[in-house]
Amino acid sequence: MVNKVTYIESTGVNPYKNLAIEEYLFSRCEEDEAILYLWQNQNTIVIGRNQNAWKECRISRIEEDGAVIARRLSGGGAVYHDLGNLNFTFLVRKENYDLKKQLQVILKAVQKLGIQAEASGRNDILVEGQKFSGNAFHEHKGHCYHHGTLMVNVKLDELNKYLNVSKKKLESKGIASVRSRVTNLLSYNPKITIEQLKMALKETFEEVYGFESKVMKEDELDQKEVKSLYEKYSSWDWIYGRQFEFQYEVSERFAWGQVDIQFKVDSGMITDVAVYSDSLKPEVIQEISERLRDIRYNNQGMGDRIAELHSEDEQKEQMFRDVEGWLRAVEL
């Protein structure tokens, strides 16, 4: 049960520092605590845990414009952040994780500012059918977080400028472009500001959880640990991941996300593999990747390996079965 709530705002706009603070809070959140962390990134493309930066992003254009790429711990797809966007993160222990309650904080805050919004599916928040907030999730060893964007006055043209969006993804949603899916809160309240939104979020966070929040400052954090995490998030290996010369690639889009698998094969055996996905369950993608190594490169062998994977979580189990069925039938 949550008996105390903590509120913290980032003072900077460096994505690597902000993600470092997020992971620090994630690992330090106490058993009876709920934390709300608000942060902003300047001119940043943030990709999901299992995405391929080279495919998702127009890297040369990003570099030319002085923008940066960052990779988060959670799954999901690539998003663009500028100072017209406010990011939020709810951090709790698993027994206190309550997505409806967390979304209620967001919805109530937006309502305070005169905008009627609604949650849609598991990871979008909409106003009049248009998306202004995308959400993603991460869980590890009993610690959980739920984070997302709140688009107040984002430069929407930058979304198309920097991201390579899969045509299959757009077709599966029946949507012609990325921009047609998203909107800014400013369109529904021309007077809204980031500071007003922060204040409203803090108020509704306290109202929904029933406690006055303790305001935490950045300088209260263990700076040595934050610096270590900063080095991780800003490293080339973390952002871009390893590259290898693959010979074969297969791709498919499921209801839960896109999957791309690259294989390196020697004498009919899979010697290396990389699995990329915008799924909200990155741990599933990791398990699939681990199972596809050191086996014969054929449909039966791959299908049999994935068939060994099971989960009590219905969504994860369905993902395993979807990938198994696909690998048994895909043309190699």
Side-chain angles (χ1 to χ4, degrees):
M1 177 182 292
V2 172
N3 292 315
K4 62 180 179 180
V5 295
T6 301
Y7 175 85
I8 178 170
E9 290 182 23
S10 171
T11 59
V13 295
N14 183 303
Y16 311 127
K17 176 73 173 293
N18 289 334
L19 288 167
I21 291 172
E22 181 180 60
E23 185 172 349
Y24 175 91
L25 295 171
F26 175 75
S27 64
R28 296 297 185 94
C29 183
E30 297 178 6
E31 290 183 6
D32 60 347
E33 182 180 27
I35 302 173
L36 174 59
Y37 169 50
L38 301 182
W39 45 292
Q40 289 184 279
N41 292 332
Q42 172 68 292
N43 211 17
T44 303
I45 296 83
V46 184
I47 60 175
R49 179 68 182 88
N50 295 119
Q51 288 193 290
N52 184 340
W54 306 100
K55 282 195 171 184
E56 298 295 332
C57 305
R58 297 171 180 168
I59 291 174
S60 60
R61 179 170 291 180
I62 290 167
E63 291 176 343
E64 287 170 6
D65 289 356
V68 296
I69 301 174
R71 184 186 298 275
R72 60 184 185 267
L73 276 178
S74 63
V79 292
Y80 174 73
H81 293 176
D82 64 18
L83 296 184
N85 172 73
L86 177 65
N87 300 298
F88 65 87
T89 309
F90 293 98
L91 305 107
V92 292
R93 292 294 184 93
K94 187 172 183 178
E95 58 269 24
N96 296 321
Y97 185 83
D98 186 337
L99 181 58
K100 287 185 178 180
K101 197 170 188 177
Q102 292 147 204
L103 289 173
Q104 190 180 12
V105 174
I106 304 298
L107 296 175
K108 278 178 164 283
V110 173
Q111 287 168 8
K112 279 180 180 283
L113 299 171
I115 300 170
Q116 297 300 312
E118 61 178 356
S120 173
R122 185 161 180 260
N123 66 320
D124 289 343
I125 308 177
L126 313 179
V127 56
E128 295 185 6
Q130 299 293 298
K131 174 180 174 179
F132 70 90
S133 175
N135 295 217
F137 318 90
H138 179 60
E139 176 187 340
H140 183 66
K141 294 183 177 179
H143 292 251
C144 300
Y145 76 52
H146 155 213
H147 63 184
T149 56
L150 294 168
M151 297 173 62
V152 176
N153 190 23
V154 174
K155 296 175 183 175
L156 297 177
D157 289 337
E158 307 299 286
L159 293 167
N160 288 327
K161 184 178 180 182
Y162 295 133
L163 301 180
N164 292 317
V165 179
S166 162
K167 289 183 179 179
K168 283 187 177 181
K169 181 174 183 177
L170 294 176
E171 289 167 1
S172 73
K173 294 180 178 289
I175 293 162
S177 70
V178 183
R179 184 167 180 172
S180 69
R181 297 184 58 214
V182 299
T183 190
N184 279 313
L185 291 175
L186 198 72
S187 299
Y188 301 88
N189 176 355
K191 296 182 179 180
I192 192 174
T193 66
I194 294 288
E195 289 307 312
Q196 287 176 332
L197 184 54
K198 286 180 179 179
M199 188 178 301
L201 287 164
K202 182 176 182 293
E203 289 175 1
T204 57
F205 179 52
E206 294 174 341
E207 289 168 8
V208 169
Y209 281 89
F211 297 94
E212 183 177 349
S213 62
K214 174 196 172 186
V215 177
M216 181 182 288
K217 302 293 185 182
E218 273 188 44
D219 58 13
E220 296 178 48
L221 312 181
D222 183 330
Q223 297 305 311
K224 185 176 180 181
E225 187 173 341
V226 171
K227 182 180 178 182
S228 176
L229 289 167
Y230 175 91
E231 290 171 354
K232 163 189 164 179
Y233 282 104
S234 60
S235 70
W236 194 97
D237 286 347
W238 174 260
I239 297 167
Y240 294 101
R242 68 191 181 91
Q243 282 189 297
F244 69 102
E245 295 181 4
F246 63 93
Q247 295 121 311
Y248 306 102
E249 182 175 28
V250 293
S251 300
E252 184 59 85
R253 178 148 200 93
F254 302 98
W256 43 265
Q258 175 80 19
V259 177
D260 303 304
I261 308 179
Q262 297 173 349
F263 299 96
K264 187 173 183 179
V265 179
D266 185 20
S267 301
M269 297 291 291
I270 299 172
T271 57
D272 204 352
V273 64
V275 184
Y276 302 102
S277 178
D278 59 0
S279 158
L280 289 169
K281 300 279 189 180
E283 64 277 13
V284 170
I285 304 306
Q286 184 62 35
E287 288 186 70
I288 290 169
S289 176
E290 291 169 356
R291 287 284 175 162
L292 292 178
R293 287 182 170 82
D294 302 317
I295 59 171
R296 291 197 177 280
Y297 180 66
N298 60 42
N299 298 94
Q300 182 177 336
M302 290 191 289
D304 288 349
R305 274 292 181 91
I306 302 305
E308 296 171 2
L309 294 172
H310 296 282
S311 174
E312 294 181 0
D313 182 308
E314 289 185 12
Q315 187 180 9
K316 291 182 181 180
E317 181 67 19
Q318 185 61 54
M319 292 171 70
F320 289 139
R321 301 292 72 82
D322 286 346
V323 172
E324 177 195 349
W326 167 52
L327 289 178
R328 289 191 187 280
V330 69
E331 183 176 344
L332 299 176

